Amino acid sequence: MNTNMQTEAHTKTQSEASVDSATDNDAPAKTLGLSLNTDKRWLADLVELLSSMRFAISLLTLIAITSVIGTVLKQNEPMPNYVNQFGPFWFEVFHKLSLYSLYSAWWFLLIMAFLVLSTSLCLIRNTPKMLKDMRSWRENVREQSLRNFHHKATWTSTLQPGDLLNEVTTHISRVGYKFKVIEKERASLITAKQGAANKWGYIFAHSAIVIICVGGLLDSDLSIRFQQWFMGKVPFEGNGIIANIPAQHRLALGTPTFRGNAMIPEGASSSTAIISQQTGVLIQDLPFTIKLNKFIIDYYSTGMPKLFASEVIIKDHETGKTFPATIKVNQPLIYKGIALFQSSFEDGGSHLSLMAYPMQGSKTANFEVKGDVGGNTPLKGETGSDYSIEWSGFRPFNVENMARNGQDLRAVDSQKSFNEKISADLDKHLGSAAKNANNKDLKNVGPSVQYKLRDKTGQAREFHNYMQPVLVDGAWVFLAGTRENPNEAFRYLRIPADDDDSVKEWMRIRSALADPALRQLAAQSYAKRALPENGKNGEQLQLQLAASAEKGMLIFAGNGSGSPAGYLAISQFLEQIPAAEQAKAADVFMKILNGGMWDLWQLARKKQGLPVLELDDKHARFLQIATSALSDSFFYGAPVYLQLTGFDEVKASVLQVTRSPGQNIVYLGCLFLVIGVFSMFYIRERRLWIWIKEDHLGSHALMALSSQRKTLDFEKEFEQLKSQLLQLNQGNRQVDS
């Protein structure tokens, strides 16, 4: 958009150029007061370069490339995220180039400053000339010069020169030309112009670039960087109460521009905004306190949020004045130049109640666990106190993409054959909750809790457990997500819901599988049930089948000390058998394992004084899913499974707090840009000269028309104007054109 406004948009004839320069022949050959003939010529050349079109286009190209990079690469993320994404080498390279905070990088700000300088110099150099040209009538033109114009016409009239002058001026005034009559020697010159405001388009468009860039710089983090460079402000990298954070981490109250966030639980107040930095956060004090009375959220029938708003009370620190307000999405509160936008919502420290079930060993005792979101709870009970729970999130609603007639496909497909199962890797066993993201069948699957389990060495694993069972592949299961890295998607263990919609039966089977004595009894019970005693051979066959069943359950349960377990252990065991016999051996192995697992389940129930269940399709289906879940549970990586049993929700509103004085300046720049573009494209400048002198028949007229842009419309306009002027008097006669 930055152009050298001294140049014309078309190639003029020599005579047209002489007309344009005739009014400026006394102008000194200076640029910003510097004589081109002095020893400071190099400075004039530098100014010429900075204000040139090629320099401006180069800057705009760099800004466009930078904007593309800034769009593709997420800005101002925590540094570990970039290390995980690019690796140590490229992380350092991109860090040196400041690609993680492009729009506040010194080199980007330098490009913006040069663009402002270049456009400003162009305006300073050319605006006075353009304003002078708009006021100029270009009256120092000669008759011979007009004869050399490309668009010209001559004619004679029976009217006297004075009468013809009146007729012509009346007509050109009627068609929109402003004119001035200059008396020449034995002739009269009519100089007229139309659309001189076209040059305002260039001025407004170039001014818009300067104004928008200045507004953008005002809304950048330059003021924050200034405080870091010269006032000793540094990001805060630890944890603590905001009120106790030292002054070197707090920005001045009068910081002219900033953009931060404030998370306020219901019933709580905040008088600060948190500004994220790459290595921590800065605290921005506000001139008022925000108290959240109530957070309102409405949902669609699918459970998706429809509306959320914050009912707040604002207290001014200077006057003590208080007033209520409601902040909604797209309806911010603006007070003292600071805008409060409804950004999102979070959990404000909900109180959670959970039941902990052992996931290791043969222990069966469960115990209660309580915690608040955002806090820590030591893990006590059967597991000892070597772990702590970090409660990171709670959601009362979870809207998921469902498939297969409302079924959400997540982890292990329990309908797969054994051969498919033993060939699947861990990812297939534990799956991802993000699968089927393209499906639009959204369902609310109820509350969930998210937490980290950290051991005494500081290593943490993250979990995401749903409170209620979910229908998956025709079966109701509890989903227990796990992941080792925050950048990974959760992989979900499916625990089947029993007849009471609980995990108790599955936990009972799990603990029984870890008990060698109970496995031995179950193997013997299965052998007697499968092979009724029939003589000495029958007893021997029972012993052999019992041994096989016990060994199968031992392989499935694993030998501890990190040895394989579940279907993976069975797969490795079957690899020792010749390939031709593996399929048959696998089928026999699974029949024996399933039979042993049934008796193991019933013995565990009898041990706890519960009746034996009937072996029907329903319970056989449950056992099949339970066995698959037991195989997956060896990868769960936690000593306990925590099931959410109750909660007292505390909502928190996340407000975006901004002070952006450059916003109105940018709006003004956009207005100037619109005016400039429309002026350049829709206002057409015309220059008209008509030389009238006395002729032996009456009068002789010479007309010439000029424009910056020679278009088909201009050609049509010239022909139309020429025709109209020739028809002013019936005695007119065209001589040439």
Side-chain angles (χ1 to χ4, degrees):
M1 301 241 1
N2 188 8
T3 61
N4 188 336
M5 292 184 284
Q6 226 173 2
T7 63
E8 293 290 349
H10 69 287
T11 303
K12 297 182 177 181
T13 66
Q14 184 176 3
S15 297
E16 289 178 274
S18 67
V19 172
D20 291 343
S21 62
T23 58
D24 297 327
N25 52 12
D26 294 328
K30 295 181 179 180
T31 301
L32 300 178
L34 297 175
S35 174
L36 299 179
N37 297 320
T38 65
D39 55 356
K40 295 183 179 180
R41 177 60 186 250
W42 65 270
L43 184 56
D45 291 340
L46 178 61
V47 172
E48 178 71 27
L49 172 65
L50 292 177
S51 60
S52 65
M53 179 173 62
R54 62 183 183 276
F55 186 73
I57 290 178
S58 300
L59 294 177
L60 288 172
T61 302
L62 291 175
I63 292 175
I65 294 173
T66 303
S67 300
V68 171
I69 296 174
T71 302
V72 175
L73 180 62
K74 288 184 178 180
Q75 299 292 292
N76 299 313
E77 291 282 305
M79 287 300 178
N81 291 5
Y82 296 119
V83 176
N84 294 334
Q85 184 176 0
F86 301 114
F89 175 77
W90 288 110
F91 166 78
E92 288 295 335
V93 173
F94 294 159
H95 184 57
K96 293 293 183 183
L97 296 174
S98 300
L99 296 187
Y100 307 134
S101 55
L102 271 175
Y103 304 115
S104 59
W106 66 268
W107 53 267
F108 181 79
L109 297 178
L110 186 63
I111 293 174
M112 294 286 289
F114 269 112
L115 182 61
V116 172
L117 176 63
S118 175
T119 311
S120 300
L121 286 175
C122 183
L123 283 170
I124 293 171
R125 292 181 63 206
N126 297 289
T127 298
K129 298 177 183 180
M130 301 190 78
L131 293 176
K132 183 178 180 180
D133 185 64
M134 282 190 289
R135 293 193 299 267
S136 171
W137 290 97
R138 300 184 185 178
E139 57 196 55
N140 297 326
V141 65
R142 295 182 294 274
E143 181 181 7
Q144 185 58 40
S145 298
L146 297 180
R147 293 186 181 277
N148 293 327
F149 270 64
H150 178 72
H151 293 85
K152 65 182 183 300
T154 60
W155 70 93
T156 60
S157 175
T158 58
L159 296 175
Q160 292 301 311
D163 296 333
L164 181 59
L165 179 67
N166 291 334
E167 292 282 351
V168 170
T169 54
T170 301
H171 179 73
I172 63 175
S173 177
R174 187 166 56 249
V175 295
Y177 281 90
K178 295 181 179 180
F179 66 90
K180 181 179 181 182
V181 178
I182 310 297
E183 294 299 330
K184 299 289 186 177
E185 184 179 357
R186 291 181 297 180
S188 297
L189 173 65
I190 303 173
T191 175
K193 57 185 177 181
Q194 184 185 68
N198 170 270
K199 288 185 172 58
W200 281 111
Y202 291 93
I203 297 173
F204 274 105
H206 287 70
S207 299
I209 294 177
V210 176
I211 293 171
I212 290 173
C213 289
V214 170
L217 289 173
L218 286 177
D219 281 352
S220 68
D221 63 349
L222 279 178
S223 59
I224 297 177
R225 285 177 170 265
F226 181 86
Q227 294 185 56
Q228 290 179 299
W229 292 336
F230 303 107
M231 300 176 63
K233 303 298 182 180
V234 294
F236 180 69
E237 301 180 21
N239 296 316
I241 300 175
I242 292 179
N244 298 333
I245 294 178
Q248 65 266 28
H249 307 301
R250 311 178 81 95
L251 299 176
L253 185 64
T255 302
T257 176
F258 60 84
R259 186 181 301 272
N261 292 291
M263 190 183 83
I264 311 173
E266 286 181 327
S269 302
S270 175
S271 60
T272 59
I274 308 299
I275 302 175
S276 298
Q277 301 288 292
Q278 293 180 349
T279 57
V281 297
L282 291 169
I283 309 300
Q284 174 62 60
D285 291 308
L286 303 176
F288 50 81
T289 297
I290 312 164
K291 180 180 179 181
L292 179 64
N293 277 349
K294 184 179 181 181
F295 182 76
I296 304 170
I297 180 169
D298 291 333
Y299 296 91
Y300 291 105
S301 59
T302 60
M304 289 287 288
K306 178 173 61 175
L307 167 70
F308 45 96
S310 300
E311 293 183 354
V312 301
I313 293 179
I314 303 297
K315 181 179 181 181
D316 191 301
H317 294 169
E318 183 178 358
T319 63
K321 171 187 174 183
T322 62
F323 62 91
T326 300
I327 305 172
K328 299 180 181 180
V329 177
N330 298 325
Q331 297 182 24
L333 168 66
I334 301 177
Y335 184 64
K336 285 196 168 184
I338 298 176
L340 304 177
F341 295 88
Q342 183 65 64
S343 175
S344 60
F345 58 94
E346 296 288 346
D347 189 276
S350 296
H351 311 299
L352 308 176
S353 299
L354 304 97
M355 186 64 66
Y357 294 89
M359 291 288 285
Q360 297 174 354
S362 58
K363 300 293 184 179
T364 59
N366 49 31
F367 54 94
E368 290 187 352
V369 175
K370 293 184 179 296
D372 296 337
V373 175
N376 296 336
T377 302
L379 184 59
K380 298 180 180 180
E382 296 292 334
T383 63
S385 58
D386 291 339
Y387 291 87
S388 66
I389 307 171
E390 300 174 3
W391 308 103
S392 55
F394 164 75
R395 298 191 64 177
F397 294 92
N398 285 274
V399 179
E400 304 290 353
N401 286 304
M402 309 300 286
R404 295 188 185 178
N405 299 323
Q407 299 171 356
D408 187 3
L409 304 182
R410 289 179 176 263
V412 179
D413 189 346
S414 58
Q415 298 301 315
K416 289 183 178 179
S417 67
F418 172 72
N419 289 332
E420 289 176 293
K421 287 182 179 293
I422 62 176
S423 63
D425 57 15
L426 176 60
D427 287 341
K428 289 184 179 179
H429 277 289
L430 295 182
S432 168
K435 289 184 179 180
N436 304 295
N438 293 326
N439 193 282
K440 301 301 181 182
D441 188 10
L442 301 177
K443 298 294 182 182
N444 176 23
V445 295
S448 69
V449 61
Q450 191 167 327
Y451 59 91
K452 290 182 179 179
L453 201 59
R454 193 175 299 276
D455 61 22
K456 59 183 179 181
T457 65
Q459 298 298 315
R461 193 181 185 101
E462 195 169 10
F463 299 88
H464 182 212
N465 297 344
Y466 287 83
M467 180 179 183
Q468 300 172 354
V470 180
L471 184 63
V472 180
D473 291 343
W476 292 95
V477 296
F478 290 91
L479 298 173
T482 178
R483 65 182 178 186
E484 297 180 359
N485 192 313
N487 294 326
E488 299 175 353
F490 281 104
R491 296 169 296 172
Y492 285 82
L493 170 67
R494 296 175 177 179
I495 301 176
D498 55 28
D499 294 343
D500 297 326
D501 288 331
S502 73
V503 298
K504 293 180 180 179
E505 289 299 330
W506 186 83
M507 290 296 174
R508 185 174 290 114
I509 299 173
R510 188 214 60 77
S511 62
L513 183 64
D515 187 343
L518 207 57
R519 289 201 305 266
Q520 183 179 19
L521 292 176
Q524 294 172 358
S525 175
Y526 165 66
K528 291 179 180 179
R529 180 171 59 85
L531 294 175
E533 186 173 346
N534 187 11
K536 186 175 182 180
N537 291 336
E539 182 179 355
Q540 185 176 2
L541 290 175
Q542 282 185 353
L543 293 175
Q544 293 176 351
L545 183 57
S548 297
E550 184 178 0
K551 183 177 181 180
M553 286 186 287
L554 175 63
I555 294 173
F556 186 77
N559 295 320
S561 302
S563 60
Y567 291 134
L568 180 61
I570 296 174
S571 175
Q572 293 180 358
F573 172 76
L574 293 175
E575 289 176 355
Q576 304 173 14
I577 300 175
E581 301 177 8
Q582 284 184 6
K584 182 178 179 180
D587 185 59
V588 173
F589 192 105
M590 289 304 299
K591 287 181 179 180
I592 295 176
L593 176 64
N594 290 333
M597 291 295 295
W598 173 263
D599 285 272
L600 181 67
W601 180 16
Q602 303 314 308
L603 286 174
R605 287 179 60 84
K606 289 177 62 177
K607 185 179 179 180
Q608 296 181 11
L610 298 173
V612 174
L613 298 174
E614 181 182 355
L615 181 56
D616 52 18
D617 291 341
K618 177 183 177 181
H619 293 115
R621 167 72 169 164
F622 175 87
L623 182 62
Q624 181 185 18
I625 301 173
T627 304
S628 296
L630 287 171
S631 175
D632 298 336
S633 68
F634 296 112
F635 302 105
Y636 189 61
V640 294
Y641 162 73
L642 300 180
Q643 185 184 26
L644 184 64
T645 57
F647 59 86
D648 182 10
E649 184 185 9
V650 178
K651 302 184 184 74
S653 175
V654 179
L655 302 177
Q656 186 182 81
V657 186
T658 66
R659 176 183 280 156
S660 51
Q663 175 178 301
N664 293 331
I665 297 177
V666 172
Y667 289 157
L668 177 63
C670 292
L671 176 62
F672 275 28
L673 185 61
V674 172
I675 294 174
V677 170
F678 273 82
S679 297
M680 287 189 293
F681 281 98
Y682 294 102
I683 299 179
R684 299 171 295 177
E685 185 179 14
R686 302 286 188 264
R687 291 283 182 169
L688 174 66
W689 295 270
I690 303 176
W691 190 285
I692 300 176
K693 64 182 180 180
E694 188 176 358
D695 185 82
H696 65 283
L697 296 178
S699 302
H700 180 276
L702 168 62
M703 178 190 75
L705 187 64
S706 175
S707 175
Q708 283 186 327
R709 296 182 180 88
K710 302 295 178 60
T711 63
L712 293 177
D713 289 338
F714 176 73
E715 298 286 346
K716 182 179 179 180
E717 182 180 342
F718 171 72
E719 294 297 333
Q720 185 178 7
L721 181 61
K722 181 178 67 173
S723 175
Q724 291 170 350
L725 291 176
L726 288 174
Q727 294 174 9
L728 288 178
N729 185 274
Q730 296 299 326
N732 289 354
R733 181 172 61 86
Q734 182 175 351
V735 178
D736 57 28
S737 61

